[in-house]
Amino acid sequence: QVQLVESGGGLVQPGGSLRLSCAASGSIFSGNVMGWYRQAPGKQRELVAAITSTGSTNYADSVKGRFNISRENAENTVYLQMNSLKPEDTAVYRCDYHWGPYTYWGQGTQVTVSS
């Protein structure tokens, strides 16, 4: 079992920044992939960004150049730095941990971009 605890969401004005954190605990194995997904009301869940344990990253086209995903393997923590935020970034953001056939999810954190 893996537990994921997210933090860092909130309300921010357009053009602002937020940093999300996700701390994993439990049965953590090397070779995992951690990432951030989001889901806005009435929309499907989408991958925002993902990072492997060796640092390879993948981003949704809509966030490239604005968001940066990073991780601290020693602390089993992944971060999502979000800059130049837009109203369309408003969503519940959830962290996930994937290893082999297993995927675990955090509880989600709300990000609202509004003036």
Side-chain angles (χ1 to χ4, degrees):
Q1 289 284 333
V2 174
Q3 295 77 42
L4 302 170
V5 178
E6 300 127 330
S7 61
L11 172 65
V12 64
Q13 292 186 342
S17 298
L18 281 175
R19 189 192 196 205
L20 305 182
S21 300
C22 174
S25 61
S27 301
I28 307 297
F29 295 95
S30 61
N32 63 74
V33 180
M34 295 185 71
W36 291 93
Y37 287 74
R38 67 186 180 188
Q39 187 166 19
K43 294 187 176 182
Q44 288 190 332
R45 183 177 63 200
E46 64 171 346
L47 173 67
V48 177
I51 185 166
T52 69
S53 57
T54 58
S56 296
T57 58
N58 182 40
Y59 294 91
D61 288 342
S62 59
V63 306
K64 284 181 180 177
R66 300 188 298 122
F67 291 11
N68 183 71
I69 189 169
S70 61
R71 63 188 290 167
E72 289 285 349
N73 286 333
E75 298 182 356
N76 296 318
T77 300
V78 64
Y79 304 96
L80 185 67
Q81 177 67 42
M82 305 185 293
N83 301 320
S84 303
L85 283 160
K86 304 175 181 180
E88 51 264 43
D89 294 317
T90 295
V92 174
Y93 286 69
R94 295 181 74 187
C95 168
D96 88 314
Y97 168 97
H98 179 78
W99 181 82
Y102 305 102
T103 299
Y104 299 91
W105 294 92
Q107 79 285 359
T109 184
Q110 177 69 45
V111 172
T112 302
V113 185
S114 175
S115 55

